Amino acid sequence: MGSMTKIEPLGAVRERVTADLRQEIIAGSLRPGDRLVERELAERFGVSRVPVREAIRALVAEGFVHFETPRRTVVRRLTPNDVKELFELREALEVYAAGLAASRATSQDLAEVQELLDRAAAATEAGDAELITDLNSRLHDRIVAMAANSLLTEALEPVAGRLRWMTRRNEEWPQLLVEHRELYEAIASGDPDRARAHALTHVRTNYRSTVRHLFGAEAFEEETFGEEAP
């Protein structure tokens, strides 16, 4: 008797298509303004149009794509205000997370971050953009995890993909590595004030770099971001 073909549940197909499309947007394979056509995507992924339609709806909710018209869906074009709003949220949450991490990190936590930094250094030396982006995102995720606050983690989760999408354009990798090492040392010191100060500087520096790479230097006005932060 021949083996039966395993049928992948619809929910699993939807999640797979959503994850693949999200990664293509983050990596730049799908660029702002590119159209998402259900029929073409269904053929490319070898699935029906139903999970593709649901995946597109999920990516609309996540802020990666939007409906230009009821029948035309495209990858979202980021605006300076999109970046500003996300970095304001990042500043509020990640700076707080760094302070908690300094108080709560274990030796195992710190060893794991150090390993990520070592791998990021090697990737930076090799100029491996995809690996650098992945490791930098994992480093920030690890710092949030060290804060040991599940509500904080949940608050950042919905925007994590969009932040990665934006910061993927920032290719000032050696500078990022320096900033991440300084942030690690501040957290490892166990001083919450020092950790928060370094996290604040890092977020604001990354904001300026991201805006410059996305829109050009003329689009950035420093006084529009972070002036009221402590």
Side-chain angles (χ1 to χ4, degrees), residues 34-91:
D34 283 354
R35 188 179 180 187
L36 302 182
V37 180
E38 285 184 14
R39 174 179 49 78
E40 294 175 357
L41 292 172
E43 291 176 358
R44 177 153 71 87
F45 287 111
V47 300
S48 72
R49 293 175 64 168
V50 174
V52 171
R53 186 177 304 122
E54 293 178 353
I56 288 174
R57 288 173 180 165
L59 293 172
V60 169
E62 293 178 19
F64 285 100
V65 304
H66 74 110
F67 298 114
E68 280 192 339
T69 70
R71 299 180 63 84
R72 182 180 176 85
T73 308
V74 300
V75 178
R76 184 174 179 175
R77 295 177 176 88
L78 295 170
T79 68
N81 193 59
D82 290 331
V83 180
K84 179 174 178 285
E85 288 182 346
L86 272 174
F87 271 83
E88 285 176 340
L89 179 63
R90 182 182 177 188
E91 179 176 304

Side-chain angles (χ1 to χ4, degrees), residues 32-224:
D34 283 354
R35 188 179 180 187
L36 302 182
V37 180
E38 285 184 14
R39 174 179 49 78
E40 294 175 357
L41 292 172
E43 291 176 358
R44 177 153 71 87
F45 287 111
V47 300
S48 72
R49 293 175 64 168
V50 174
V52 171
R53 186 177 304 122
E54 293 178 353
I56 288 174
R57 288 173 180 165
L59 293 172
V60 169
E62 293 178 19
F64 285 100
V65 304
H66 74 110
F67 298 114
E68 280 192 339
T69 70
R71 299 180 63 84
R72 182 180 176 85
T73 308
V74 300
V75 178
R76 184 174 179 175
R77 295 177 176 88
L78 295 170
T79 68
N81 193 59
D82 290 331
V83 180
K84 179 174 178 285
E85 288 182 346
L86 272 174
F87 271 83
E88 285 176 340
L89 179 63
R90 182 182 177 188
E91 179 176 304
L93 298 181
E94 288 195 8
V95 171
Y96 180 58
L100 290 179
S103 300
R104 299 174 178 177
T106 66
S107 58
Q108 179 62 34
D109 290 330
L110 295 173
E112 290 175 4
V113 174
Q114 182 63 68
E115 181 183 358
L116 288 172
L117 284 170
D118 290 343
R119 293 180 62 192
T124 299
E125 181 69 23
D128 188 335
E130 293 302 321
L131 184 55
I132 292 169
T133 301
D134 179 62
L135 290 170
N136 287 345
S137 296
R138 289 170 60 186
L139 184 144
H140 279 279
D141 290 345
R142 195 72 200 92
I143 291 173
V144 172
M146 286 192 296
N149 184 310
S150 60
L151 291 178
L152 182 61
T153 301
E154 290 173 9
L156 275 167
E157 186 174 359
V159 298
R162 271 184 287 170
L163 281 169
R164 186 176 181 184
W165 182 26
M166 291 180 184
T167 56
R168 172 68 177 80
R169 277 39 169 225
N170 179 4
E171 297 183 351
E172 297 175 14
W173 302 321
Q175 178 61 31
L176 282 172
L177 181 61
V178 169
E179 292 173 21
H180 285 159
R181 280 174 169 161
E182 291 175 346
L183 179 57
Y184 163 76
E185 291 169 2
I187 291 172
S189 75
D191 183 342
D193 289 337
R194 180 182 170 189
R196 284 191 291 267
H198 277 279
L200 180 61
T201 298
H202 174 54
V203 171
R204 291 184 177 176
T205 300
N206 197 220
Y207 170 70
R208 290 192 291 270
S209 298
T210 299
V211 170
R212 186 166 58 250
H213 283 274
L214 282 172
F215 309 111
E218 65 279 0
F220 177 69
E221 296 179 11
E222 186 169 358
E223 68 271 18
T224 65

